[in-house]
């Protein structure tokens, strides 16, 4: 399967640079995965697509302000780092720019010395391990010094940090937002719950591996980076009960989808627990848990376009994306949404 089979043309002006004022007023494309039929709605009208007993699964990870700007202690040369994952208490795997300035032993100073980091190793993909030292609470210092790690295709400055957070964000640890969830307001979630839809929480800390370009020619040669997930017993029971009653499980976002598919056994029963997943879903994959998916519009030739193609079929997805371009939908993280059902 050729990676180029998942390409499409996207005019640059359709890449959303800013979140819209009212989260729930973004557009919603509803795609029938069986027929390819398309409808155009507004996101808040998703209530008309849901039924009592459906189980809506949300990823309650919280994005940390993971982008830090510092200087080398020796030369005061500028260095930018992006926190990817915590390896131990004060040791993080990070992405460094420029990497050649960050050899093991390099000391980096952030915020006039509020935070210091020492490069202790070079690991996979040229990422670094950095040991941080500080006085106080790391998360508070990070909140003060760090910036939200917006994707590179967003060039505008984010005025409000909370707009790159879902309203239900709880467990800190993501380097990127689970963006399908950005469309929900607390009021909309309450309305959905009041209809008798069950809302279940899972956690997957989104790493940058999800968004890294696919650099191989053949899809099956690509290797996903691992991400940490957690599924509580009570939440697994909600999802399993919906399945047992013949109700739909609807994942909010590809991260919720990947969590569910990783934590399920061969029969589709969800197992509580935590661990690392590098699951790669592309056409030919047989879904064990999810029946429907709420998602944004993804980058050409990306693993996420491959995932939605596995659910709805490549031809249906590419036709839907072509329609979205024609109708001037907003694309990517701050863009519009799609319901595949």
């Amino acid at each position: 399967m050729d990676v180029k089979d998942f390409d499409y043309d996207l005019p640059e002006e359709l890449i959303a640079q800013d979140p819209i004022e009212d989260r729930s007023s973004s557009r919603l494309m509803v795609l029938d995965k069986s027929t390819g039929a398309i409808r155009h709605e507004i996101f808040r009208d998703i209530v008309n697509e849901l039924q009592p007993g459906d189980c809506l699964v949300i990823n309650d990870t919280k994005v940390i302000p993971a982008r830090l700007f510092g200087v080398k202690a020796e030369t005061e040369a500028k260095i930018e780092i992006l926190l990817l994952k915590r390896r131990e208490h004060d040791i993080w795997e990070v992405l460094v720019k420029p990497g050649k300035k960050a050899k093991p032993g390099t000391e980096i100073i952030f915020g006039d010395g509020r935070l210091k980091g020492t490069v202790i190793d070079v690991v996979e993909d040229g990422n670094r391990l950095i040991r941080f030292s500080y006085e106080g609470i790391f998360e508070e210092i990070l909140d003060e010094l760090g910036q939200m790690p917006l994707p590179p295709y967003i060039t505008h400055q984010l005025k409000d940090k909370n707009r790159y957070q879902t309203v239900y964000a709880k467990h800190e640890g993501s380097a990127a937002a689970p963006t399908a969830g950005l469309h929900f307001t607390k009021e909309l979630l309450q309305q959905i719950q009041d209809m008798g839809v069950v809302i279940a929480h899972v956690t997957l800390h989104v790493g940058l591996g999800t968004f890294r370009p696919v650099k191989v020619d053949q899809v099956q040669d690509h290797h996903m980076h691992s991400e940490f997930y957690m599924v509580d017993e009570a939440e697994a029971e909600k999802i399993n009960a919906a399945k047992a009653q013949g109700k739909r499980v609807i994942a909010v976002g590809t991260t919720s989808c990947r969590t569910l598919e990783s934590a399920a056994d061969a029969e589709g029963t969800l197992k509580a627990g935590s661990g690392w997943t590098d699951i790669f879903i592309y056409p030919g994959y047989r879904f064990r848990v999810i029946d429907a998916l709420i998602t944004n519009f993804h980058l050409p030739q990306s693993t996420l376009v491959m995932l939605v193609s596995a659910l709805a079929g490549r031809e249906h997805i590419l036709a839907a994306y072509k329609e979205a371009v024609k109708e001037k939908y907003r694309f990517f993280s701050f863009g519009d949404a799609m319901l595949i059902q």
Side-chain angles (χ1 to χ4, degrees):
M1 203 180 307
D2 199 310
V3 171
K4 292 192 180 71
D5 291 341
F6 299 90
D7 198 13
Y8 68 91
D9 292 322
L10 179 68
E12 200 174 321
E13 65 267 19
L14 295 185
I15 299 172
Q17 292 295 324
D18 303 287
I20 57 174
E21 196 168 332
D22 172 13
R23 291 173 183 260
S24 64
S25 65
S26 53
R27 295 166 78 187
L28 175 70
M29 177 184 282
V30 181
L31 173 65
D32 185 317
K33 65 179 190 271
S34 302
T35 66
I38 291 168
R39 286 184 285 115
H40 303 288
E41 308 289 348
I42 300 298
F43 192 82
R44 71 175 75 89
D45 296 327
I46 198 154
V47 292
N48 301 326
E49 310 298 327
L50 301 173
Q51 290 150 17
D54 282 347
C55 184
L56 195 68
V57 184
I58 58 179
N59 179 8
D60 61 10
T61 186
K62 191 170 188 177
V63 186
I64 57 173
R67 181 165 271 133
L68 287 163
F69 296 90
V71 294
K72 275 180 75 171
E74 289 176 12
T75 62
E76 296 195 354
K78 290 180 179 176
I79 284 191
E80 177 186 341
I81 73 162
L82 186 62
L83 303 176
L84 296 178
K85 60 176 98 157
R86 188 177 233 144
R87 289 290 194 91
E88 293 172 38
H89 181 56
D90 285 324
I91 297 175
W92 284 77
E93 183 177 339
V94 306
L95 200 61
V96 181
K97 285 198 313 195
K100 61 179 182 288
K101 289 184 181 174
K103 295 183 173 68
T106 301
E107 188 179 3
I108 308 168
I109 297 170
F110 307 93
D112 297 323
R114 290 281 323 275
L115 182 66
K116 293 178 182 175
T118 304
V119 180
I120 58 174
D121 201 2
V122 180
V123 292
E124 189 184 1
D125 286 338
N127 295 344
R128 268 58 175 175
L129 292 185
I130 288 186
R131 178 183 283 113
F132 288 102
S133 57
Y134 50 90
E135 287 185 13
I137 298 168
F138 180 77
E139 285 73 17
E140 288 180 2
I141 295 168
L142 189 62
D143 201 44
E144 187 184 322
L145 301 181
Q147 292 185 14
M148 279 301 193
L150 295 178
Y153 50 75
I154 294 177
T155 56
H156 292 190
Q157 194 76 27
L158 184 63
K159 295 183 182 122
D160 177 3
K161 276 184 184 178
N162 287 325
R163 290 312 308 272
Y164 195 57
Q165 249 6 321
T166 62
V167 296
Y168 46 77
K170 184 178 178 185
H171 300 289
E172 293 189 331
S174 268
T179 54
L182 296 178
H183 305 283
F184 288 95
T185 61
K186 286 182 176 174
E187 293 77 15
L188 180 57
L189 283 167
Q190 189 60 57
Q191 189 182 351
I192 288 168
Q193 217 163 0
D194 290 346
M195 299 170 49
V197 173
V198 176
I199 297 178
H201 294 238
V202 297
T203 307
L204 181 134
H205 293 319
V206 189
L208 292 189
T210 310
F211 306 99
R212 280 216 166 108
V214 178
K215 293 179 178 173
V216 294
D217 294 329
Q218 294 300 307
V219 169
Q220 54 270 30
D221 294 338
H222 177 70
H223 177 66
M224 296 284 283
H225 287 247
S226 59
E227 296 166 313
F228 185 75
Y229 74 87
M230 298 181 288
V231 180
D232 286 347
E233 187 72 53
E235 306 304 305
E237 283 175 11
K238 288 181 192 175
I239 296 158
N240 289 332
K243 294 293 284 183
Q245 292 160 20
K247 303 296 186 180
R248 295 186 303 169
V249 174
I250 303 160
V252 176
T254 56
T255 59
S256 298
C257 167
R258 292 176 67 244
T259 303
L260 294 174
E261 295 298 315
S262 298
D265 64 18
E267 282 72 49
T269 302
L270 200 62
K271 303 291 186 187
S274 62
W276 295 86
T277 178
D278 60 358
I279 190 171
F280 181 19
I281 297 173
Y282 55 88
Y285 179 84
R286 187 179 68 81
F287 287 87
R288 295 182 283 196
V289 182
I290 79 158
D291 302 292
L293 175 69
I294 297 167
T295 187
N296 280 18
F297 292 89
H298 305 293
L299 277 75
Q301 297 189 31
S302 65
T303 61
L304 302 181
V305 167
M306 294 167 195
L307 185 153
V308 294
S309 295
L311 184 62
R314 186 181 70 91
E315 291 78 11
H316 288 166
I317 288 295
L318 291 180
Y321 274 50
K322 192 173 181 180
E323 174 82 359
V325 168
K326 191 182 108 195
E327 295 295 326
K328 297 197 168 5
Y329 272 67
R330 300 162 77 248
F331 277 67
F332 306 161
S333 294
F334 287 141
D336 294 315
M338 174 189 268
L339 168 63
I340 302 170
Q341 64 179 1

